[in-house]
Amino acid sequence: MAADFSQIRRNEHLPARIAGHIGKEIAEGRILPGEKLPTEHILAKTFGVSRSVVREAIAELRNEGLVETRQGIGAFVLEGTGRGSIRIEQTDLYDRESFRSLFQLRMPLEIEAAGLAAVHHDAEDLRKLDEALAQMTGAEKWTDQGITADLMFHRALATATHNEYFPLFVGFIAERISLAINAARASAVLEEIVETTIAEHVAIRDAVVTRDPLKAREAMRHHVEGAASRLALTLEIY
């Protein structure tokens, strides 16, 4: 294996950046199908991050179908990952048009997820939604804790559809949209972001609880449009 790993910039979302770096090594054939990735300890030392960050990165690669993990052994590259996997490099989203396009894709996926969650959710799904909201509300400021809780909410909502593909695609996009949350935090009044964002999530949760798919879809549409506007993004809405 002739993979070229180097320390990454610490001001970016670390697990996504590491996953992107390893994914590129796989796509370009420097790590071949069937090969074992370096251990968590080696990757953590090489990238200059904690082992927990490495574990998150490997989990993302697993969710994208690039690797499989074998308990007590390690992570191995899967066959057929060179062409069939979906990959959006985090650096691509520094281009405003690319970022707007991803946000445009987010809208129909999350709106439909909200509608399906309203119909198919169970008590455990509601518990996870409420847990995410509690963490969002408990964050004194829109710090990493608030961002993590926001992503947790959207993943929980996708899981509540009881369609296995929604968590896969919504989770994939949500990780990249986390860049938007950081950008919003930097460009707007913090208290306004926190208050508005939590209110939008509460409206989605309340609509899901009442099992009203139309209201849930509308609440999600309002949230995505609001998130876009806070980033000065103009989406095509019909």
Side-chain angles (χ1 to χ4, degrees):
M1 178 174 65
D4 177 25
F5 296 131
S6 58
Q7 289 199 11
I8 61 177
R9 289 179 291 173
R10 306 187 71 84
N11 62 338
E12 297 170 2
H13 184 57
L14 294 179
R17 289 291 300 165
I18 293 172
H21 195 113
I22 296 174
K24 184 177 180 181
E25 297 295 300
I26 294 171
E28 295 180 359
R30 285 186 287 273
I31 310 178
L32 299 176
E35 283 196 72
K36 180 183 175 182
L37 296 183
T39 65
E40 286 182 5
H41 175 75
I42 291 174
L43 287 173
K45 185 175 180 180
T46 302
F47 285 116
V49 299
S50 67
R51 293 179 67 173
S52 63
V53 171
V54 171
R55 280 194 290 272
E56 287 185 51
I58 292 175
E60 183 171 335
L61 291 168
R62 185 176 64 245
N63 290 339
E64 294 177 19
L66 290 174
V67 304
E68 67 173 355
T69 53
R70 303 173 190 171
Q71 188 171 6
I73 302 177
F76 293 80
V77 179
L78 290 171
E79 297 286 343
T81 56
R83 294 183 181 179
S85 60
I86 300 173
R87 174 155 292 280
I88 301 174
E89 299 293 347
Q90 197 78 5
T91 51
D92 292 343
L93 300 183
Y94 297 146
D95 176 75
R96 189 166 185 80
E97 186 58 30
S98 296
F99 186 69
R100 189 194 71 83
S101 295
L102 184 63
F103 227 92
Q104 188 80 59
L105 175 61
R106 175 192 184 187
M107 178 169 282
L109 280 174
E110 295 232 56
I111 289 174
E112 186 60 21
L116 289 172
V119 175
H120 297 296
H121 72 269
D122 57 27
E124 177 62 14
D125 295 323
L126 290 182
R127 187 192 69 77
K128 291 180 179 178
L129 288 174
D130 287 341
E131 180 182 353
L133 278 175
Q135 289 192 27
M136 291 173 66
T137 305
E140 292 183 6
K141 294 184 178 181
W142 204 240
T143 59
D144 289 344
Q145 177 186 344
I147 295 171
T148 299
D150 189 299
L151 295 175
M152 182 191 303
F153 181 93
H154 287 274
R155 291 194 190 99
L157 190 74
T159 301
T161 66
H162 290 261
N163 177 320
E164 62 180 313
Y165 294 109
F166 271 93
L168 178 65
F169 285 94
V170 170
F172 177 83
I173 291 175
E175 283 289 346
R176 277 110 190 115
I177 293 296
S178 65
L179 178 65
I181 301 171
N182 279 311
R185 181 176 60 178
S187 62
V189 178
L190 183 62
E191 291 75 13
E192 180 181 341
I193 293 175
V194 173
E195 182 179 346
T196 302
T197 302
I198 291 176
E200 290 170 356
H201 284 80
V202 169
I204 295 167
R205 182 264 183 200
D206 289 348
V208 168
V209 169
T210 61
R211 295 194 181 275
D212 186 333
L214 294 179
K215 186 179 291 185
R217 288 189 180 100
E218 183 57 34
M220 179 60 78
R221 176 184 292 275
H222 177 71
H223 170 55
V224 176
E225 289 176 356
S229 69
R230 289 188 285 274
L231 293 164
L233 292 175
T234 302
L235 304 182
E236 295 176 354
I237 301 170
Y238 301 100

